[in-house]
Structure formats: C-alpha cells, structure tokens
Amino acid sequence: MKLLITGGAGFIGSAAVRCAVALGHEVLNVDALTYAGDLATVSSVENSALYRFARLDITDLSSLRHAVRDFGPDAILHFAAETHVDRSIDDPTGFVQTNVVGTTNLLDAALHFYSEISGSKKANFRFISVSTDEVYGSLGSDGYFNETLPYDPSSPYSASKAAADHMCKAWYRTYGLPVIVTNCSNNFGPYQHPEKLIPTVVQAALEGSDIPVYGTGLNVRDWLYVDDHINAIFSILVHGQPGDTYCVGGNCEKTNLDIVSEICEILDRRFKKPSGDGFSSQIVMVQDRLGHDFRYAIDNSKLVELTGWKTSKTFLERLGETVDWFVDHRDWLSKHEGRLGLGNKNT
Ligand SMILES: NC(=O)c1ccc[n+]([C@@H]2O[C@H](COP(=O)([O-])OP(=O)(O)OC[C@H]3O[C@@H](n4cnc5c(N)ncnc54)[C@H](O)[C@@H]3O)[C@@H](O)[C@H]2O)c1
C-alpha cells in the first residue's frame, strides 16, 4: 500500500513509519518537525526506497493538497498533533491550529483526492485519524470508556482532539470520505519525547534530581505499548468500518505513583546509588495539574472482537525494555529541550 503518514517524526507516528516500511508499504512521512518531531526516530528507514519525507505543516492547506495528490495514497494515517496537555494549558491556540484546523485541512485535501479516484482505489481508500481517550473526560473509580460514550473533554488538548474527531465524523457523514477514528490510551515506548512521564522519570532519576509526581499520585492511566498500538491501527486499516470509532487500550490501569515506583525498581536493579538509597527516595509530590482528570480506562472489546488484537508481552516486560532503551539512549533524553519537568503525561 501507499501510506501517507502525518506526524511520522513523532513518537507514535514514527513507530507507524518504521512498521509500515518493514511490512513493505510505501510511505510518505508528512511532518512539520516541531519541537516534538525528530527525524532520528526514522533513521532506520531513511535510506529505504519505500520511504520519503516531506517537511510540511498541516495548517498549510495548499501544500497539503499538492502532497496528497502527488503521492496518491491508498490510505492516510493521521498522527500529527500538538500533544502535551501541560503545553495546551499554557498556550491553547496553537493546539486549535494544528489539531482542529490542521486535521480539517487534511480531511479537505483527502476529499479532493478521493473525489478524483475511482474503482478499487476509491473503494479501498481509508483515512484513519488517531485520537485520544481523553475526549471522554474523566472516570470515577469504576467503569470504562467505550465507543458509545458522549464526549466530555477537560483540557484544551482533549477539547481540540474532540473537535478534530467531530470534523472527521462530519467528513464521513456529509461527504462520504471513508474516515475511521481511533481513541487510544497512554502510549509508552522508545523515542517518546522527554517531556512525557516515563522518560521524565528516567531522566530525573539518573540525574539525581527530584522525580515530580502530580497531586496525590493516585490518578489512573491505562497503558499501551506503542508497537501494540500500531498493530491495532494496521488491523483497523484492514478490518475497520468507515465512519466507525475504535477504542484502543492495553487493559493496564496503573496509578501514576505505581508507574513511577515500578520505574524506580527497574533502575534499582540496574544501578546502585552510592548512598544505598533506592531511586524512589527522589520522588516528590508537586502541585496538581489544573483540571487533572482522575482516571482513564478503556473497554477494548469492540477492537478485540473485530480483529482478535492483543498485546504482545506483559506490561512489566515492556516497561523494563522501555526504561532500558532510555538508559541506553541518554543522548535522546538530553537532546530535547522543552521538558516541562512536571512528570505526568496525560496523552
Ligand atoms: N502519546 C500518547 O500517549 C497518545 C495517546 C492518545 C492519543 N495520542 C495521539 O497520537 C498522535 C501522535 O502522538 P505522539 O505522542 O506521537 O505525538 P508527538 O508529540 O510525539 O509527535 C507529534 C508529531 O506531529 C508533528 N506535528 C505537530 N504539529 C504539526 C503540524 N502543524 N504539521 C505537521 N506536523 C506536525 C510533530 O513534529 C511531531 O513529529 C497524536 O494525534 C496524539 O493526540 C497520543
């Protein structure tokens, strides 16, 4: 297939690019290379004949239309976004530009292209927009998000993603563009930007600094290994119904304090501090995030029934591999400016 992947220099999009090339698909990676984008994430495929890169801002409609038409994709996988909740609280308008206007532009460019194709190319064309479970708001101590729940976003980030999802549905219902929306839980894995929870904790621990945890640390997130997420997206590409939504979650609820403590234990097994203390002695509770959602948890049964999807290893195995990756790639941690130092990622 020819796959146009947006945000393919970011954390999840780059995993999609690497996976797509490995599967033999032809890829055009469209990315503006914001502070969150880094082509090092796709260096393993940069010399492949199957791979091309276009530095392009999805808020630029005319360039986007040209890129889509010139490449002629069989599917568009849309990952590009502003993604950090804390940044959205400080500067919401940039989130509206990329997440709402940018997504709308991409839908527009896709529809222009879709209206010009025919036959099996048209019948099989898909536009998958990758969104977040945060559009559903916050759960109490029980219950799960599923595809039937009304949207109830809390942060400017989740509100902008919710607006983008509504645009996707509108492009399906109004124009018949075969759009599918996926709403996933917290991803983790290699190449995640150091402003997010797991890399922040590893970096702070290794620097000997405070490891910051918001509020009580009891907020719950449902964790999903990034390559498992990409497997789900590829299954949805094949089996998903246009106009439909699929929730993708790893069935792995953890409090933020659990995650931070587990990372500290993994590091304790690898490093002995001269003081003899464990890394958890560096944990410091800091003032809670504004509008901090209490719990996210996904009921993924629709996805599982459709595709038979399941995670490939246990959470602790994947967390261990991820922590090892950050320890072995400390240049990745130190290279990226913009780490906010408040250790709770909510996307
Ligand atoms: N990371 C998570 O846990 C998570 C959870 C749920 C949903 N999501 C969604 O998955 C997608 C990917 O998230 P991520 O964590 O990989 O994000 P990321 O911040 O790591 O990467 C975002 C990428 O988008 C690019 N980008 C930003 N603005 C752009 C613009 N205007 N034009 C073109 N490119 C632009 C950046 O350069 C970067 O490469 C996002 O849509 C996000 O909302 C992420």
Side-chain angles (χ1 to χ4, degrees):
M1 291 175 87
K2 296 181 85 173
L3 301 177
L4 189 153
I5 299 180
T6 71
F11 165 47
I12 307 175
S14 69
V17 169
R18 296 190 300 272
C19 176
V21 172
L23 290 172
H25 299 300
E26 194 179 333
V27 170
L28 176 65
N29 177 4
V30 167
D31 198 296
L33 298 182
T34 68
Y35 83 94
D38 188 333
L39 290 176
T41 57
V42 286
S43 60
S44 61
V45 299
E46 70 187 358
N47 294 323
S48 167
L50 294 172
Y51 174 76
R52 266 185 280 165
F53 173 67
R55 185 169 190 174
L56 203 156
D57 192 317
I58 58 169
T59 62
D60 174 356
L61 176 58
S62 138
S63 303
L64 207 48
R65 278 188 183 166
H66 281 113
V68 174
R69 181 180 292 135
D70 291 349
F71 183 61
D74 296 305
I76 294 177
L77 306 183
H78 176 38
F79 296 90
E82 286 291 342
T83 63
H84 194 45
V85 174
D86 289 334
R87 288 179 186 270
S88 83
I89 293 168
D90 293 343
D91 176 22
T93 52
F95 281 66
V96 174
Q97 279 306 312
T98 288
N99 299 358
V100 187
V101 177
T103 299
T104 308
N105 285 346
L106 191 63
L107 290 162
D108 175 293
L111 184 61
H112 267 249
F113 171 68
Y114 184 68
S115 65
E116 289 167 0
I117 56 177
S118 57
S120 63
K121 179 104 177 167
K122 189 163 196 141
N124 296 325
F125 182 81
R126 295 288 182 274
F127 182 120
I128 297 196
S129 193
V130 176
S131 185
T132 169
D133 59 355
E134 296 183 38
V135 297
Y136 297 116
S138 182
L139 291 166
S141 47
D142 53 16
Y144 295 90
F145 295 139
N146 67 50
E147 295 81 0
T148 66
L149 286 185
Y151 278 20
D152 187 21
S154 302
S155 71
Y157 163 70
S158 52
S160 69
K161 293 294 291 185
D165 293 359
H166 288 313
M167 287 300 183
C168 290
K169 296 284 173 181
W171 254 251
Y172 171 72
R173 290 181 193 158
T174 308
Y175 307 111
L177 187 71
V179 183
I180 296 172
V181 174
T182 62
N183 296 88
C184 70
S185 58
N186 272 43
N187 283 224
F188 69 105
Y191 293 111
Q192 190 161 31
H193 193 280
E195 70 189 356
K196 306 288 171 61
L197 176 64
I198 291 174
T200 293
V201 172
V202 176
Q203 185 170 28
L206 296 178
E207 280 172 353
S209 334
D210 288 351
I211 300 172
V213 178
Y214 277 133
T216 59
L218 297 181
N219 298 61
V220 174
R221 300 294 179 259
D222 183 352
W223 290 86
L224 173 65
Y225 187 65
V226 65
D227 289 351
D228 289 330
H229 180 196
I230 298 306
N231 285 340
I233 297 285
F234 277 87
S235 296
I236 290 166
L237 182 58
V238 175
H239 300 289
Q241 286 302 310
D244 224 343
T245 288
Y246 299 92
C247 286
V248 187
N251 264 338
C252 183
E253 289 182 57
K254 298 274 180 186
T255 69
N256 288 332
L257 202 50
D258 284 341
I259 289 275
V260 174
S261 303
E262 282 163 354
I263 295 170
C264 289
E265 283 169 26
I266 292 166
L267 291 172
D268 286 340
R269 288 196 286 276
R270 194 158 166 179
F271 300 99
K272 289 276 165 275
K273 297 213 287 182
S275 62
D277 294 338
F279 285 97
S280 59
S281 63
Q282 291 168 233
I283 296 174
V284 173
M285 313 312 283
V286 299
Q287 190 179 0
D288 210 354
R289 165 188 280 163
L290 295 172
H292 198 182
D293 288 337
F294 174 63
R295 175 170 165 263
Y296 303 140
I298 281 188
D299 169 0
N300 63 15
S301 50
K302 183 174 172 183
L303 168 71
V304 171
E305 278 161 30
L306 180 79
T307 66
W309 175 84
K310 55 180 192 252
T311 53
S312 48
K313 292 189 184 177
T314 67
F315 170 75
L316 277 180
E317 283 173 293
R318 289 303 194 189
L319 184 65
E321 290 169 12
T322 302
V323 170
D324 284 348
W325 190 90
F326 285 116
V327 169
D328 296 338
H329 295 81
R330 271 178 255 188
D331 56 326
W332 174 262
L333 294 175
S334 52
K335 174 176 173 188
H336 289 275
E337 295 297 326
R339 183 166 64 102
L340 299 186
L342 292 174
N344 277 347
K345 155 196 181 298
N346 257 358
T347 63

